[in-house]
Amino acid sequence: MKKVVKFGGSSLASAEQFKKVGDIIRSDETRRYVVPSAPGKRFSDDIKVTDMLYACYDEAKAGKDFSDALKGIADRYQEIIDGLGLSLSLEGEFKTIEEQFKAQAGSDYAASRGEYLNSMIMAEYLGYEFLDSAKYIFFDENGVFDGDKTQKILSKKLEETERAVIPGFYGSMPDGSVKTFSRGGSDVTGSIVAKAAHVDLYENWTDVSGFLIADPRIIDNPKNITTITYRELRELSYMGATVLHEDAIFPVRKEGIPINIRNTNRPEDPGTMIVETTCVRPEYTITGIAGRKGFVSINIEKDMMNSQIGFGRKVLGCFEKHGISFEHMPSGIDTLTVFVHQDEFESKEQAVLSSLRHAVHPDMIELESDLALIAVVGRGMKATRGTAGRIFSALAHAYINVKMIDQGSSELNIIIGVKNSDFEKAIKAIYDIFVTVQL
Ligand code: ASP
Protein backbone atom coordinates (compact mmCIF):
# COMPACT_ATOMS: atom_id res chain seq x y z
CA MET A 1 0.00 0.00 0.00
CA LYS A 2 1.30 3.46 -1.00
CA LYS A 3 -0.36 6.85 -0.60
CA VAL A 4 0.20 10.38 -1.83
CA VAL A 5 -0.84 13.03 0.68
CA LYS A 6 -1.48 16.60 -0.39
CA PHE A 7 -1.89 19.33 2.22
CA GLY A 8 -3.63 22.62 1.47
CA GLY A 9 -2.44 26.06 2.54
CA SER A 10 -4.50 26.33 5.71
CA SER A 11 -3.07 22.95 6.83
CA LEU A 12 0.43 24.44 6.57
CA ALA A 13 -0.09 28.04 7.61
CA SER A 14 1.88 27.87 10.87
CA ALA A 15 4.25 25.67 12.88
CA GLU A 16 1.26 24.42 14.88
CA GLN A 17 -0.44 23.26 11.68
CA PHE A 18 2.83 21.69 10.45
CA LYS A 19 2.95 19.63 13.62
CA LYS A 20 -0.55 18.28 13.01
CA VAL A 21 0.51 17.40 9.46
CA GLY A 22 3.69 15.73 10.73
CA ASP A 23 1.63 13.61 13.14
CA ILE A 24 -0.74 12.59 10.35
CA ILE A 25 2.10 11.53 8.06
CA ARG A 26 4.04 9.68 10.75
CA SER A 27 0.98 7.81 11.93
CA ASP A 28 0.78 5.86 8.66
CA GLU A 29 3.95 4.68 7.00
CA THR A 30 2.23 4.22 3.65
CA ARG A 31 2.02 8.05 3.38
CA ARG A 32 5.20 8.15 1.33
CA TYR A 33 4.82 11.09 -1.03
CA VAL A 34 3.88 14.51 0.30
CA VAL A 35 2.65 17.44 -1.82
CA PRO A 36 2.45 20.71 0.13
CA SER A 37 0.78 24.00 -0.79
CA ALA A 38 2.20 27.37 0.24
CA PRO A 39 1.30 28.65 3.73
CA GLY A 40 -2.29 29.85 3.67
CA LYS A 41 -4.24 32.04 6.06
CA ARG A 42 -3.67 31.68 9.82
CA PHE A 43 -6.81 33.70 10.62
CA SER A 44 -9.65 35.02 8.50
CA ASP A 45 -8.13 38.32 7.35
CA ASP A 46 -4.59 37.00 7.05
CA ILE A 47 -2.91 36.96 3.61
CA LYS A 48 -1.88 33.78 1.83
CA VAL A 49 1.85 33.60 1.04
CA THR A 50 0.99 33.04 -2.65
CA ASP A 51 -0.82 36.41 -2.70
CA MET A 52 2.08 38.07 -0.86
CA LEU A 53 4.43 36.72 -3.53
CA TYR A 54 2.31 38.01 -6.40
CA ALA A 55 2.11 41.44 -4.74
CA CYS A 56 5.82 41.52 -4.00
CA TYR A 57 6.65 40.59 -7.58
CA ASP A 58 4.36 43.35 -8.88
CA GLU A 59 6.41 45.85 -6.91
CA ALA A 60 9.64 44.40 -8.30
CA LYS A 61 8.27 44.55 -11.82
CA ALA A 62 7.27 48.17 -11.38
CA GLY A 63 10.86 48.93 -10.37
CA LYS A 64 9.84 49.75 -6.77
CA ASP A 65 11.74 48.76 -3.64
CA PHE A 66 10.30 45.36 -2.71
CA SER A 67 12.60 44.54 0.20
CA ASP A 68 9.93 45.05 2.90
CA ALA A 69 7.44 42.88 1.07
CA LEU A 70 10.02 40.12 0.62
CA LYS A 71 11.04 40.39 4.26
CA GLY A 72 7.38 39.89 5.26
CA ILE A 73 7.38 36.62 3.32
CA ALA A 74 10.72 35.48 4.76
CA ASP A 75 9.31 36.17 8.24
CA ARG A 76 6.33 33.87 7.61
CA TYR A 77 8.69 30.99 6.83
CA GLN A 78 11.09 31.82 9.67
CA GLU A 79 8.20 31.69 12.13
CA ILE A 80 7.41 28.15 10.96
CA ILE A 81 11.08 27.04 11.05
CA ASP A 82 11.52 28.43 14.57
CA GLY A 83 8.23 26.97 15.79
CA LEU A 84 9.33 23.54 14.60
CA GLY A 85 12.78 23.94 16.18
CA LEU A 86 14.57 23.33 12.87
CA SER A 87 18.00 24.72 12.05
CA LEU A 88 17.25 25.11 8.33
CA SER A 89 18.27 28.46 6.84
CA LEU A 90 16.46 29.89 3.84
CA GLU A 91 18.80 32.89 3.57
CA GLY A 92 20.49 31.64 0.39
CA GLU A 93 17.10 30.87 -1.16
CA PHE A 94 15.82 34.37 -0.44
CA LYS A 95 18.98 35.88 -1.98
CA THR A 96 18.28 33.92 -5.17
CA ILE A 97 14.61 34.95 -5.13
CA GLU A 98 15.60 38.60 -4.74
CA GLU A 99 17.96 38.35 -7.72
CA GLN A 100 15.37 36.57 -9.82
CA PHE A 101 12.73 39.17 -8.96
CA LYS A 102 15.14 41.94 -10.01
CA ALA A 103 15.78 40.04 -13.25
CA GLN A 104 11.97 39.85 -13.74
CA ALA A 105 11.76 36.07 -13.76
CA GLY A 106 7.97 36.24 -14.08
CA SER A 107 4.95 36.04 -11.81
CA ASP A 108 4.71 32.25 -12.19
CA TYR A 109 8.22 31.89 -10.84
CA ALA A 110 7.33 34.29 -8.01
CA ALA A 111 4.17 32.44 -6.98
CA SER A 112 5.82 29.02 -7.20
CA ARG A 113 8.30 29.95 -4.48
CA GLY A 114 5.52 29.60 -1.93
CA GLU A 115 5.24 25.84 -2.45
CA TYR A 116 8.97 25.45 -3.13
CA LEU A 117 10.05 26.90 0.22
CA ASN A 118 7.27 25.26 2.21
CA SER A 119 8.26 21.88 0.75
CA MET A 120 11.88 22.43 1.76
CA ILE A 121 10.76 22.97 5.32
CA MET A 122 8.48 19.95 5.16
CA ALA A 123 11.26 17.72 3.78
CA GLU A 124 13.60 18.82 6.56
CA TYR A 125 10.91 18.33 9.21
CA LEU A 126 10.01 14.81 8.05
CA GLY A 127 13.48 13.70 6.95
CA TYR A 128 12.10 13.01 3.45
CA GLU A 129 13.89 13.76 0.18
CA PHE A 130 13.01 17.09 -1.51
CA LEU A 131 12.24 16.89 -5.24
CA ASP A 132 11.93 20.21 -7.08
CA SER A 133 8.82 19.98 -9.28
CA ALA A 134 10.55 22.05 -11.99
CA LYS A 135 12.64 18.98 -12.72
CA TYR A 136 9.81 16.45 -12.77
CA ILE A 137 6.59 18.14 -13.90
CA PHE A 138 6.49 19.53 -17.43
CA PHE A 139 4.45 21.79 -19.68
CA ASP A 140 4.72 21.91 -23.47
CA GLU A 141 5.61 25.00 -25.54
CA ASN A 142 1.94 26.08 -25.46
CA GLY A 143 1.88 25.98 -21.68
CA VAL A 144 -0.28 22.85 -21.60
CA PHE A 145 0.61 20.18 -19.03
CA ASP A 146 2.73 17.49 -20.72
CA GLY A 147 1.41 14.28 -19.17
CA ASP A 148 3.55 11.85 -21.16
CA LYS A 149 6.91 13.46 -20.45
CA THR A 150 6.00 14.01 -16.79
CA GLN A 151 4.83 10.45 -16.34
CA LYS A 152 8.04 9.05 -17.80
CA ILE A 153 10.48 11.15 -15.79
CA LEU A 154 8.54 11.49 -12.54
CA SER A 155 7.61 7.80 -12.41
CA LYS A 156 11.20 6.74 -12.79
CA LYS A 157 12.36 9.12 -10.06
CA LEU A 158 9.67 8.02 -7.64
CA GLU A 159 10.48 4.37 -8.25
CA GLU A 160 13.95 5.11 -6.92
CA THR A 161 12.74 7.31 -4.07
CA GLU A 162 11.22 5.71 -1.00
CA ARG A 163 9.83 8.91 0.54
CA ALA A 164 9.72 12.42 -0.91
CA VAL A 165 8.23 15.89 -0.67
CA ILE A 166 7.20 17.34 -4.04
CA PRO A 167 6.01 20.97 -4.12
CA GLY A 168 2.53 21.58 -5.51
CA PHE A 169 1.35 24.12 -8.07
CA TYR A 170 4.22 24.33 -10.58
CA GLY A 171 6.47 22.63 -13.11
CA SER A 172 8.63 23.89 -15.95
CA MET A 173 8.39 24.90 -19.60
CA PRO A 174 10.61 23.36 -22.31
CA ASP A 175 13.02 26.34 -21.90
CA GLY A 176 13.36 25.56 -18.18
CA SER A 177 11.33 28.55 -16.93
CA VAL A 178 8.84 27.94 -14.14
CA LYS A 179 5.14 27.66 -14.95
CA THR A 180 2.27 27.29 -12.51
CA PHE A 181 -1.12 25.63 -12.85
CA SER A 182 -4.14 27.85 -12.21
CA ARG A 183 -4.89 28.87 -8.61
CA GLY A 184 -5.43 25.96 -6.26
CA GLY A 185 -3.26 23.87 -8.58
CA SER A 186 -1.47 21.90 -5.86
CA ASP A 187 -4.47 19.56 -6.02
CA VAL A 188 -3.48 18.85 -9.61
CA THR A 189 0.14 18.17 -8.64
CA GLY A 190 -1.07 15.70 -6.00
CA SER A 191 -3.04 13.85 -8.63
CA ILE A 192 -0.12 13.79 -11.07
CA VAL A 193 2.21 12.44 -8.38
CA ALA A 194 -0.38 9.83 -7.38
CA LYS A 195 -0.56 8.60 -10.95
CA ALA A 196 3.22 8.60 -11.46
CA ALA A 197 3.87 6.73 -8.20
CA HIS A 198 1.07 4.20 -8.93
CA VAL A 199 -0.31 4.66 -5.44
CA ASP A 200 -3.42 3.04 -4.01
CA LEU A 201 -4.91 6.24 -2.62
CA TYR A 202 -4.58 10.00 -3.04
CA GLU A 203 -5.36 11.73 0.25
CA ASN A 204 -6.17 15.40 -0.10
CA TRP A 205 -6.02 17.09 3.32
CA THR A 206 -7.80 20.38 3.77
CA ASP A 207 -9.78 22.29 6.41
CA VAL A 208 -13.18 20.65 5.91
CA SER A 209 -14.22 17.04 6.43
CA GLY A 210 -14.97 16.42 2.76
CA PHE A 211 -17.80 17.46 0.50
CA LEU A 212 -21.12 18.60 1.86
CA ILE A 213 -24.48 17.75 0.34
CA ALA A 214 -25.24 21.44 -0.11
CA ASP A 215 -23.53 24.80 0.25
CA PRO A 216 -23.18 25.64 3.99
CA ARG A 217 -23.84 29.30 3.17
CA ILE A 218 -27.36 28.27 2.23
CA ILE A 219 -28.03 25.25 4.47
CA ASP A 220 -27.19 25.26 8.17
CA ASN A 221 -24.80 22.44 8.97
CA PRO A 222 -25.39 20.32 5.89
CA LYS A 223 -24.55 16.61 6.05
CA ASN A 224 -21.36 15.22 4.59
CA ILE A 225 -21.06 13.15 1.46
CA THR A 226 -19.26 9.96 2.43
CA THR A 227 -18.78 8.46 -1.05
CA ILE A 228 -19.13 10.15 -4.42
CA THR A 229 -18.25 8.99 -7.92
CA TYR A 230 -16.06 11.00 -10.25
CA ARG A 231 -19.02 11.60 -12.55
CA GLU A 232 -21.18 12.94 -9.75
CA LEU A 233 -18.36 15.15 -8.60
CA ARG A 234 -17.91 16.58 -12.10
CA GLU A 235 -21.58 17.52 -12.17
CA LEU A 236 -21.48 19.15 -8.75
CA SER A 237 -18.19 21.00 -9.23
CA TYR A 238 -19.33 22.30 -12.57
CA MET A 239 -22.35 23.76 -10.84
CA GLY A 240 -20.30 25.51 -8.23
CA ALA A 241 -19.31 23.06 -5.48
CA THR A 242 -15.67 23.72 -4.63
CA VAL A 243 -13.10 21.93 -2.44
CA LEU A 244 -10.98 20.30 -5.11
CA HIS A 245 -9.45 21.86 -8.25
CA GLU A 246 -11.49 20.76 -11.27
CA ASP A 247 -8.49 19.36 -13.15
CA ALA A 248 -7.34 17.27 -10.21
CA ILE A 249 -9.52 14.32 -11.01
CA PHE A 250 -8.27 13.54 -14.51
CA PRO A 251 -4.85 11.95 -13.85
CA VAL A 252 -6.04 9.70 -11.03
CA ARG A 253 -9.35 8.83 -12.62
CA LYS A 254 -7.58 7.30 -15.60
CA GLU A 255 -5.62 5.07 -13.23
CA GLY A 256 -8.59 4.17 -11.05
CA ILE A 257 -6.98 5.75 -7.96
CA PRO A 258 -9.56 7.00 -5.43
CA ILE A 259 -9.23 10.39 -3.75
CA ASN A 260 -9.99 10.80 -0.07
CA ILE A 261 -10.73 14.35 1.09
CA ARG A 262 -9.69 14.67 4.75
CA ASN A 263 -9.62 17.34 7.43
CA THR A 264 -6.21 18.14 8.98
CA ASN A 265 -7.93 19.61 12.02
CA ARG A 266 -10.15 16.54 12.51
CA PRO A 267 -8.05 13.61 11.32
CA GLU A 268 -10.45 11.14 12.94
CA ASP A 269 -13.18 12.08 10.42
CA PRO A 270 -13.29 9.69 7.45
CA GLY A 271 -13.98 12.54 4.99
CA THR A 272 -15.25 11.94 1.47
CA MET A 273 -14.12 9.13 -0.81
CA ILE A 274 -14.16 9.94 -4.52
CA VAL A 275 -14.26 6.75 -6.56
CA GLU A 276 -14.78 5.60 -10.13
CA THR A 277 -17.63 3.31 -9.22
CA THR A 278 -19.18 1.99 -6.02
CA CYS A 279 -21.93 -0.22 -4.70
CA VAL A 280 -22.24 2.02 -1.62
CA ARG A 281 -25.72 3.47 -1.84
CA PRO A 282 -25.92 7.15 -1.05
CA GLU A 283 -27.63 7.68 2.25
CA TYR A 284 -30.30 10.03 0.92
CA THR A 285 -31.12 9.09 -2.74
CA ILE A 286 -29.44 12.29 -3.83
CA THR A 287 -25.68 12.71 -3.43
CA GLY A 288 -25.56 16.48 -3.59
CA ILE A 289 -27.15 19.74 -4.71
CA ALA A 290 -25.30 22.63 -6.29
CA GLY A 291 -26.23 25.54 -8.46
CA ARG A 292 -25.34 28.85 -9.95
CA LYS A 293 -27.08 32.12 -10.55
CA GLY A 294 -26.80 34.41 -13.54
CA PHE A 295 -28.30 32.76 -16.60
CA VAL A 296 -30.43 34.06 -19.44
CA SER A 297 -32.93 32.01 -21.40
CA ILE A 298 -33.50 32.76 -25.08
CA ASN A 299 -36.80 31.30 -26.13
CA ILE A 300 -37.24 30.94 -29.90
CA GLU A 301 -40.63 30.19 -31.42
CA LYS A 302 -41.41 29.23 -34.98
CA ASP A 303 -44.37 27.42 -36.46
CA MET A 304 -43.53 23.99 -37.85
CA MET A 305 -40.06 24.14 -36.29
CA ASN A 306 -40.17 20.40 -35.67
CA SER A 307 -40.24 19.62 -39.37
CA GLN A 308 -37.26 21.80 -40.27
CA ILE A 309 -34.14 19.68 -40.34
CA GLY A 310 -31.08 21.55 -39.09
CA PHE A 311 -33.03 24.17 -37.11
CA GLY A 312 -31.25 23.41 -33.84
CA ARG A 313 -27.84 23.37 -35.50
CA LYS A 314 -28.45 26.78 -37.07
CA VAL A 315 -29.57 28.23 -33.73
CA LEU A 316 -26.53 26.90 -31.89
CA GLY A 317 -24.31 28.09 -34.75
CA CYS A 318 -25.34 31.68 -33.96
CA PHE A 319 -24.12 31.30 -30.37
CA GLU A 320 -20.94 29.59 -31.50
CA LYS A 321 -20.20 32.38 -33.97
CA HIS A 322 -20.20 34.87 -31.11
CA GLY A 323 -18.11 32.68 -28.81
CA ILE A 324 -20.94 31.93 -26.36
CA SER A 325 -21.25 28.47 -24.89
CA PHE A 326 -24.72 27.18 -24.12
CA GLU A 327 -25.64 25.36 -20.91
CA HIS A 328 -28.95 23.69 -21.73
CA MET A 329 -31.39 23.53 -24.60
CA PRO A 330 -34.83 22.20 -23.72
CA SER A 331 -37.32 22.18 -26.58
CA GLY A 332 -41.01 21.88 -27.43
CA ILE A 333 -42.68 21.22 -30.78
CA ASP A 334 -42.49 24.79 -32.03
CA THR A 335 -40.17 26.27 -29.40
CA LEU A 336 -36.57 25.90 -28.43
CA THR A 337 -34.93 27.55 -25.44
CA VAL A 338 -31.22 28.13 -25.03
CA PHE A 339 -29.72 28.83 -21.61
CA VAL A 340 -26.49 30.87 -21.55
CA HIS A 341 -24.41 32.70 -18.96
CA GLN A 342 -25.71 36.22 -18.51
CA ASP A 343 -22.26 37.80 -18.20
CA GLU A 344 -21.10 36.17 -21.46
CA PHE A 345 -24.27 37.01 -23.32
CA GLU A 346 -25.13 40.55 -22.27
CA SER A 347 -22.51 42.42 -24.28
CA LYS A 348 -23.21 40.39 -27.43
CA GLU A 349 -26.96 40.19 -27.03
CA GLN A 350 -28.07 42.27 -30.03
CA ALA A 351 -25.50 40.70 -32.34
CA VAL A 352 -26.69 37.21 -31.41
CA LEU A 353 -30.34 38.16 -31.86
CA SER A 354 -29.69 39.54 -35.29
CA SER A 355 -27.77 36.39 -36.28
CA LEU A 356 -30.73 34.31 -35.09
CA ARG A 357 -33.17 36.37 -37.14
CA HIS A 358 -31.07 35.90 -40.25
CA ALA A 359 -30.38 32.22 -39.66
CA VAL A 360 -33.83 30.85 -38.73
CA HIS A 361 -36.39 33.66 -39.24
CA PRO A 362 -38.18 32.96 -35.93
CA ASP A 363 -41.77 34.07 -35.31
CA MET A 364 -40.78 35.30 -31.86
CA ILE A 365 -37.74 35.57 -29.62
CA GLU A 366 -38.20 36.13 -25.91
CA LEU A 367 -35.46 36.75 -23.37
CA GLU A 368 -35.60 36.15 -19.65
CA SER A 369 -32.68 37.15 -17.45
CA ASP A 370 -31.69 36.60 -13.80
CA LEU A 371 -32.27 32.88 -13.79
CA ALA A 372 -30.50 30.26 -11.70
CA LEU A 373 -29.77 26.63 -12.50
CA ILE A 374 -29.74 23.98 -9.79
CA ALA A 375 -28.32 20.49 -10.28
CA VAL A 376 -29.66 17.70 -8.11
CA VAL A 377 -27.12 14.93 -8.52
CA GLY A 378 -27.17 11.32 -7.42
CA ARG A 379 -26.31 7.88 -8.71
CA GLY A 380 -29.10 6.64 -6.42
CA MET A 381 -31.77 8.33 -8.54
CA LYS A 382 -31.51 5.67 -11.20
CA ALA A 383 -32.82 2.99 -8.91
CA THR A 384 -35.45 5.13 -7.18
CA ARG A 385 -38.90 5.97 -8.39
CA GLY A 386 -40.37 9.39 -7.84
CA THR A 387 -37.23 11.47 -7.31
CA ALA A 388 -38.37 14.10 -9.79
CA GLY A 389 -41.84 14.05 -8.27
CA ARG A 390 -40.45 14.74 -4.81
CA ILE A 391 -38.31 17.60 -6.08
CA PHE A 392 -41.19 19.31 -7.83
CA SER A 393 -43.69 18.88 -5.06
CA ALA A 394 -41.13 20.30 -2.61
CA LEU A 395 -40.66 23.31 -4.90
CA ALA A 396 -44.40 23.75 -5.35
CA HIS A 397 -44.94 23.68 -1.58
CA ALA A 398 -42.30 26.39 -1.25
CA TYR A 399 -44.21 28.48 -3.86
CA ILE A 400 -41.35 28.29 -6.34
CA ASN A 401 -42.10 28.40 -10.03
CA VAL A 402 -39.93 26.03 -12.07
CA LYS A 403 -38.78 27.64 -15.31
CA MET A 404 -36.94 24.70 -16.83
CA ILE A 405 -36.38 20.99 -16.24
CA ASP A 406 -33.67 18.90 -17.84
CA GLN A 407 -32.89 15.30 -17.01
CA GLY A 408 -30.28 13.41 -18.98
CA SER A 409 -30.98 9.78 -19.77
CA SER A 410 -28.07 8.79 -17.53
CA GLU A 411 -30.45 9.67 -14.67
CA LEU A 412 -27.48 11.00 -12.77
CA ASN A 413 -28.83 14.50 -12.42
CA ILE A 414 -31.85 16.69 -12.77
CA ILE A 415 -31.29 20.32 -13.70
CA ILE A 416 -33.87 22.85 -12.62
CA GLY A 417 -34.13 26.48 -13.70
CA VAL A 418 -35.66 28.98 -11.27
CA LYS A 419 -35.51 32.73 -10.76
CA ASN A 420 -32.30 34.01 -9.14
CA SER A 421 -34.41 35.30 -6.27
CA ASP A 422 -35.79 31.79 -5.61
CA PHE A 423 -32.36 30.11 -5.73
CA GLU A 424 -31.62 29.74 -2.00
CA LYS A 425 -35.23 28.88 -1.16
CA ALA A 426 -35.26 26.16 -3.83
CA ILE A 427 -32.04 24.55 -2.61
CA LYS A 428 -33.38 24.56 0.91
CA ALA A 429 -36.66 22.95 -0.16
CA ILE A 430 -34.86 20.19 -2.06
CA TYR A 431 -32.37 19.56 0.75
CA ASP A 432 -35.15 19.33 3.30
CA ILE A 433 -37.27 16.88 1.32
CA PHE A 434 -34.37 14.45 0.82
CA VAL A 435 -32.17 14.94 3.85
CA THR A 436 -33.98 16.66 6.72
CA VAL A 437 -37.26 14.79 6.52
CA GLN A 438 -35.90 11.84 4.53
CA LEU A 439 -39.19 10.88 2.96
N1 ASP B 1 -0.74 28.29 -3.40
C1 ASP B 1 -1.49 28.25 -4.62
C2 ASP B 1 -2.75 29.06 -4.49
O1 ASP B 1 -2.95 29.75 -3.50
C3 ASP B 1 -1.76 26.86 -5.09
C4 ASP B 1 -2.47 25.97 -4.09
O2 ASP B 1 -2.57 26.30 -2.92
O3 ASP B 1 -2.97 24.94 -4.51
O4 ASP B 1 -3.54 29.08 -5.39
Side-chain angles (χ1 to χ4, degrees):
M1 179 92 165
K2 271 191 286 191
K3 290 179 190 165
V4 163
V5 284
K6 179 261 167 181
F7 290 89
S10 56
S11 301
L12 297 167
S14 63
E16 198 193 337
Q17 289 298 87
F18 256 76
K19 286 181 189 164
K20 289 186 196 167
V21 168
D23 290 346
I24 289 167
I25 296 170
R26 291 191 195 100
S27 70
D28 177 351
E29 58 169 30
T30 66
R31 293 179 173 140
R32 285 173 40 184
Y33 302 110
V34 182
V35 176
S37 280
K41 293 182 180 193
R42 293 159 295 182
F43 38 88
S44 68
D45 46 8
D46 198 11
I47 304 173
K48 285 173 143 200
V49 164
T50 308
D51 293 317
M52 294 170 85
L53 282 159
Y54 279 125
C56 178
Y57 185 71
D58 282 346
E59 287 185 20
K61 213 168 99 190
K64 292 189 194 149
D65 175 12
F66 59 92
S67 49
D68 278 356
L70 196 60
K71 165 102 179 32
I73 297 165
D75 288 349
R76 287 285 299 266
Y77 286 105
Q78 198 55 48
E79 202 181 292
I80 296 173
I81 293 172
D82 293 344
L84 296 174
L86 301 174
S87 55
L88 177 73
S89 164
L90 295 180
E91 218 173 293
E93 295 296 338
F94 272 98
K95 273 248 135 26
T96 310
I97 293 171
E98 190 184 342
E99 282 159 21
Q100 291 296 319
F101 275 29
K102 282 185 181 151
Q104 312 233 328
S107 60
D108 277 20
Y109 166 81
S112 74
R113 297 305 86 184
E115 287 39 36
Y116 172 84
L117 296 169
N118 227 19
S119 298
M120 281 192 157
I121 301 176
M122 181 60 85
E124 177 83 7
Y125 181 53
L126 296 172
Y128 281 22
E129 199 170 320
F130 169 79
L131 302 180
D132 183 356
S133 300
K135 294 189 191 137
Y136 303 100
I137 291 184
F138 303 100
F139 293 85
D140 66 17
E141 38 304 306
N142 301 317
V144 176
F145 169 62
D146 186 339
D148 292 341
K149 184 173 173 193
T150 302
Q151 178 70 11
K152 244 203 330 259
I153 297 175
L154 182 60
S155 258
K156 185 159 178 294
K157 182 67 188 171
L158 295 177
E159 234 167 73
E160 302 158 357
T161 317
E162 182 65 20
R163 293 174 186 278
V165 178
I166 306 113
F169 195 34
Y170 72 95
S172 60
M173 293 289 286
D175 67 0
S177 61
V178 166
K179 161 126 188 87
T180 61
F181 291 103
S182 56
R183 293 300 302 264
S186 300
D187 285 342
V188 184
T189 310
S191 183
I192 292 166
V193 173
K195 178 178 181 207
H198 307 291
V199 297
D200 304 281
L201 182 65
Y202 168 21
E203 285 180 347
N204 187 298
W205 292 80
T206 175
D207 50 10
V208 290
S209 296
F211 288 98
L212 300 168
I213 292 181
D215 188 334
R217 286 166 299 187
I218 299 173
I219 305 292
D220 256 356
N221 259 324
K223 300 263 190 217
N224 262 72
I225 300 175
T226 51
T227 307
I228 186 168
T229 64
Y230 283 117
R231 286 171 69 215
E232 290 173 308
L233 180 62
R234 279 285 292 154
E235 302 281 349
L236 288 174
S237 349
Y238 184 69
M239 287 303 268
T242 52
V243 167
L244 193 67
H245 191 294
E246 250 202 299
D247 296 341
I249 65 173
F250 298 110
V252 281
R253 186 176 179 180
K254 269 196 198 147
E255 296 289 296
I257 302 168
I259 306 176
N260 188 193
I261 308 286
R262 300 285 293 268
N263 188 347
T264 302
N265 304 316
R266 294 178 56 98
E268 63 287 357
D269 288 354
T272 301
M273 279 298 278
I274 309 167
V275 297
E276 177 62 39
T277 169
T278 177
C279 66
V280 177
R281 279 181 65 87
E283 234 170 304
Y284 307 103
T285 309
I286 60 161
T287 303
I289 314 163
R292 284 199 266 171
K293 289 183 179 176
F295 292 91
V296 175
S297 69
I298 299 108
N299 185 27
I300 301 158
E301 265 188 50
K302 185 169 166 80
D303 279 349
M304 309 294 285
M305 175 192 286
N306 63 334
S307 59
Q308 280 192 28
I309 293 176
F311 192 91
R313 178 182 52 76
K314 285 184 200 152
V315 166
L316 290 183
C318 299
F319 290 90
E320 185 182 351
K321 192 170 123 196
H322 295 282
I324 295 170
S325 65
F326 82 101
E327 288 294 307
H328 291 280
M329 192 176 65
S331 62
I333 298 174
D334 293 328
T335 66
L336 190 151
T337 310
V338 182
F339 277 77
V340 295
H341 288 269
Q342 195 156 338
D343 54 357
E344 267 181 40
F345 179 70
E346 253 169 12
S347 61
K348 299 173 182 164
E349 175 192 88
Q350 293 307 317
V352 176
L353 294 183
S354 113
S355 299
L356 284 169
R357 278 190 208 103
H358 280 110
V360 294
H361 308 289
D363 296 334
M364 194 174 80
I365 301 183
E366 226 174 25
L367 302 182
E368 182 163 0
S369 59
D370 300 318
L371 297 176
L373 293 177
I374 297 170
V376 185
V377 176
R379 60 188 183 280
M381 298 197 310
K382 205 167 184 151
T384 320
R385 259 181 305 132
T387 312
R390 282 156 73 188
I391 295 174
F392 298 117
S393 73
L395 293 174
H397 278 107
Y399 300 100
I400 294 164
N401 182 27
V402 175
K403 299 263 170 194
M404 193 270 294
I405 306 163
D406 195 355
Q407 180 184 18
S409 54
S410 68
E411 290 184 68
L412 188 70
N413 61 359
I414 297 177
I415 311 278
I416 299 147
V418 296
K419 276 199 194 140
N420 272 350
S421 53
D422 283 335
F423 178 69
E424 285 84 4
K425 209 162 50 149
I427 290 193
K428 201 165 167 354
I430 299 168
Y431 181 88
D432 283 345
I433 199 83
F434 286 102
V435 183
T436 316
V437 293
Q438 270 193 68
L439 279 175

